[in-house]
Amino acid sequence: MHEVIICEKPSSAEKIAKALSPSAKKKVYNKKVKYWELQRDSKDITVLSGVGHLYSLIPKEARYRVSFNLHWVPSYEASKSSAFTKNYLRAIKKFGKDADSYIHACDYDVEGTLIGYNALKYACGGDSLKKASRMKFSTLTKKDIIEAYENRIDIDMHQVDNGIARHILDYYFGMNISIALSDSVRKTKHRFLKLSVGRVQTPTLSILVKREKEIREFVPEPYWVIRAILDFEGIEIKHVDGNIFDRQLAEEIFNKCNGKDAVVDEIAFSKSKTKTPVPFNLSGLQAEAYNVFGFSPKRTQVAAQNLYSAGYTSYPRTSSQKLPESLGFKSIFDQLSANPEFKKHISQLPSRLIPHNGKKEDAAHPPIHPTGILPGKLNSDEQKIYSLIVYRFIAVFFEAAEFETMKTTLDIEGEKFKFSRRRVTHKGWMDHYPFRKIDDENFPDVKEGDVMSVKELISDEKETKPPARYNQASLIKELEKKNLGTKATRADIIDKLYDRQYIDGTKIEVNQLGENLIDTLNDYCSDLTSEELTRNFENKLEGINKDEFTKDVVIDEGKKDVREILNDIDKNMKGIGSKLYEAYQESNIVGECKCGGKLVKRAGSYGDFVGCTNYPDCKITYSLPRNANIIKKTCEKCGLPMIAAGKGRNRQEMCLDPNCGKDKTKTYTPEKVGECPKCGKPLLKRSGRFGEFIGCKGFPKCNFTCSVDELESKLK
């Protein structure tokens, strides 16, 4: 009997193979792809893996044209960037043919299910799907893997249909509409402009543009805060009205109280609790990692995925906040206690292990938790995320933290002022979660009727502030609240907006191109920016899982909506093309030219450059080094924009003009240092943007170059 197990990634394949048999043998296909062979229950088992998606959707007709006629092809045929998948697919085709049984062991979610399904259907072929069963696990521990192997289930075809429909809709809304928008610019302005829109990406950008406009249109309103510094422990008290928006009233209160003493009018004590936090789901972990470490959601997701793949934590792409008893809490804590730092907290756990669960559930996976296996060497990101997961897991089993609050009201000439202090009476869970600050203030020794001398009375004039900008963590929360995207895709969507240069900054700002794109779409095809349309499809995709909708019904509805959007684009091609091109031009203006024109970043045959909008009357151009970015600084010498070029420690800031600061009256004669080993012409020592280098006089026909340090070895 020959059995084939298909895994999502090489690390998962190794974990599964070694869990099923300690004597599993590693093999290598084509000197590049690892796979595993083992025996179990009288079966010869081959464990193979992909590297994520091995198949992609492309149109059956010509590429880069609007199409609704799609089919699956190997990913390396769809994109050059997926060339690395070729050998993995070949290995599955070679060793996955004609087995007696197949096991789908990819991650148990929509994407993982689709990855394994496509591998079985297209790579293994034949009746592989009829012979296939499914392993479902949330951790890559030996215990969970064996249990999943021995209790296999059927492949969930609802998950498969959800995945297929999701990919097709993403193509319809993303690729088709992006192509149509780019065509509108090409046909109107005879320029190629690569634009990117998407089913979730565009409504997300629309949310950011709306916030951008709220900030810009915000009109600040002045207000006054009246506060006093007491001549007792430097206590600060504030007027009970808080923000006073009436200048005259603020002045009256200030004049009335200035130079007067304060009398303690009332002291009230109250008790409060800070609830125990709930277990981490993915968005909860991403938000906490941003608050504690400043990690982007994508950075957190990558670290959490690595910890899962290594077997140290559970599957991260989960919505659940409810820890089931079946995880075996005591066993996990016993293993974690081998770490002395963890043991300090675990030793104080209550005898009955009852977690403080949240409301959200996920049928596929429990919340993110440690498996109990202590990690070996982790990189810095993984170590931080691992500690966060472990301490949160420990904390959810402790009781709430308890506080006592002292609220004191004081009277100055009939005007009421107040201050409050809070101290901890029982640390509870907060004593076992080192990532939260505990309020623990001293209560001043005062009593009702005490007269307090006022050291200084202050009237602060302030202004109301505009709405705060989103950061990546708060945007993830907003998308989750609005049901846009999925827990697995939200971080990637935000990354894509940065990559497309629609947004930038830690506190997210929308660039001119991003804002104008949304404005144009709102004017001509507002359905594409609509949260409601996207949310409707998200609900229907989830409805496929619940057998409320079929894949074909959802796809047909998507096709209908996209056709309507494409018709709107076609009807308004001139307006859309002109507006988008103007937006692109505006977004690429980097400064002023000496002639009065605008300096604009452009793409050329030999790389990006900056040129004047008054071309051909003004022929000033500046070439940009590869991977250079225009930064928000100007050169102190000439006023031109500054650029940043190079990578890592070699990244340098410099003037856009490479000749800035050089004495142009002097002529530069390159020093001859030898003969070119390629063509025999003289080698010259030249001065470049990143220092001196050696180049052939025969350039560009001969492109021999080397560093000054490499010269001797190159000539040998």
Side-chain angles (χ1 to χ4, degrees), residues 143-144 147 323-329:
K143 172 180 167 290
D144 277 11
E147 188 175 317
L323 287 166
E325 285 186 36
S326 57
L327 293 179
F329 305 140

Side-chain angles (χ1 to χ4, degrees), residues 695-711:
C696 179
K697 190 176 182 181
F699 180 82
K701 287 185 178 178
C702 177
N703 60 0
F704 176 84
T705 59
C706 67
S707 69
V708 175
D709 294 337
E710 291 175 327
L711 177 62

Side-chain angles (χ1 to χ4, degrees), residues 589-600 612 622 638-641:
I589 293 173
V590 299
E592 296 264 341
C593 184
K594 293 174 185 176
C595 73
K598 302 290 184 185
L599 292 175
V600 180
C612 181
Y622 303 98
C638 70
L640 283 172

Side-chain angles (χ1 to χ4, degrees), residues 493-613:
I493 287 161
I494 296 171
D495 265 15
K496 196 173 284 187
L497 292 175
Y498 278 106
D499 290 343
R500 299 290 186 262
Q501 298 185 354
Y502 292 151
I503 62 173
D504 59 33
T506 305
K507 293 181 178 178
I508 300 172
E509 294 183 55
V510 182
N511 296 329
Q512 194 67 50
L513 179 60
E515 185 172 334
N516 287 4
L517 174 65
I518 294 300
D519 287 346
T520 304
L521 294 174
N522 280 336
D523 285 344
Y524 296 107
C525 39
S526 58
D527 279 353
L528 189 55
T529 62
S530 164
E531 293 173 24
E532 192 55 46
L533 180 71
T534 302
R535 188 160 41 245
N536 172 52
F537 277 111
E538 209 58 61
N539 290 334
K540 286 183 175 174
L541 287 166
E542 287 303 312
I544 294 174
N545 284 354
K546 300 170 187 173
D547 207 19
E548 295 170 353
F549 297 97
T550 66
K551 164 178 62 95
D552 294 336
V553 164
V554 177
I555 291 170
D556 286 345
E557 187 176 333
K559 187 186 296 186
K560 175 176 167 288
D561 286 341
V562 171
R563 285 192 189 279
E564 288 176 5
I565 292 170
L566 292 174
N567 285 337
D568 287 339
I569 294 172
D570 196 46
K571 283 180 201 170
N572 300 285
M573 184 172 291
K574 271 194 174 181
I576 292 173
S578 297
K579 278 197 170 185
L580 289 176
Y581 187 67
E582 286 166 19
Y584 172 75
Q585 292 279 70
E586 285 178 41
S587 68
N588 281 281
I589 293 173
V590 299
E592 296 264 341
C593 184
K594 293 174 185 176
C595 73
K598 302 290 184 185
L599 292 175
V600 180
K601 183 180 176 183
R602 300 183 186 277
S605 303
Y606 300 101
D608 291 345
F609 70 97
V610 170
C612 181
T613 52

Side-chain angles (χ1 to χ4, degrees), residues 559-699:
K559 187 186 296 186
K560 175 176 167 288
D561 286 341
V562 171
R563 285 192 189 279
E564 288 176 5
I565 292 170
L566 292 174
N567 285 337
D568 287 339
I569 294 172
D570 196 46
K571 283 180 201 170
N572 300 285
M573 184 172 291
K574 271 194 174 181
I576 292 173
S578 297
K579 278 197 170 185
L580 289 176
Y581 187 67
E582 286 166 19
Y584 172 75
Q585 292 279 70
E586 285 178 41
S587 68
N588 281 281
I589 293 173
V590 299
E592 296 264 341
C593 184
K594 293 174 185 176
C595 73
K598 302 290 184 185
L599 292 175
V600 180
K601 183 180 176 183
R602 300 183 186 277
S605 303
Y606 300 101
D608 291 345
F609 70 97
V610 170
C612 181
T613 52
N614 286 338
Y615 177 86
D617 295 329
C618 176
K619 295 185 178 177
I620 284 180
T621 59
Y622 303 98
S623 62
L624 288 171
R626 192 174 178 184
N627 297 322
N629 291 324
I630 310 286
I631 57 177
K632 293 180 179 178
K633 285 185 184 179
T634 54
C635 177
E636 293 177 0
K637 292 178 182 175
C638 70
L640 283 172
M642 297 285 285
I643 64 173
K647 289 186 177 180
R649 293 180 182 176
N650 295 322
R651 193 160 180 80
Q652 300 175 30
E653 291 183 5
M654 61 195 78
C655 180
L656 179 63
D657 182 0
N659 295 313
C660 179
K662 293 180 181 176
D663 186 349
K664 296 178 184 177
T665 62
K666 293 181 180 178
T667 57
Y668 173 70
T669 306
E671 177 190 349
K672 182 179 175 182
V673 293
E675 292 185 352
C676 178
K678 286 180 74 175
C679 69
K681 290 190 176 180
L683 284 178
L684 304 175
K685 184 189 283 188
R686 298 183 181 276
S687 178
R689 278 196 139 169
F690 300 102
E692 291 187 320
F693 70 99
I694 307 299
C696 179
K697 190 176 182 181
F699 180 82

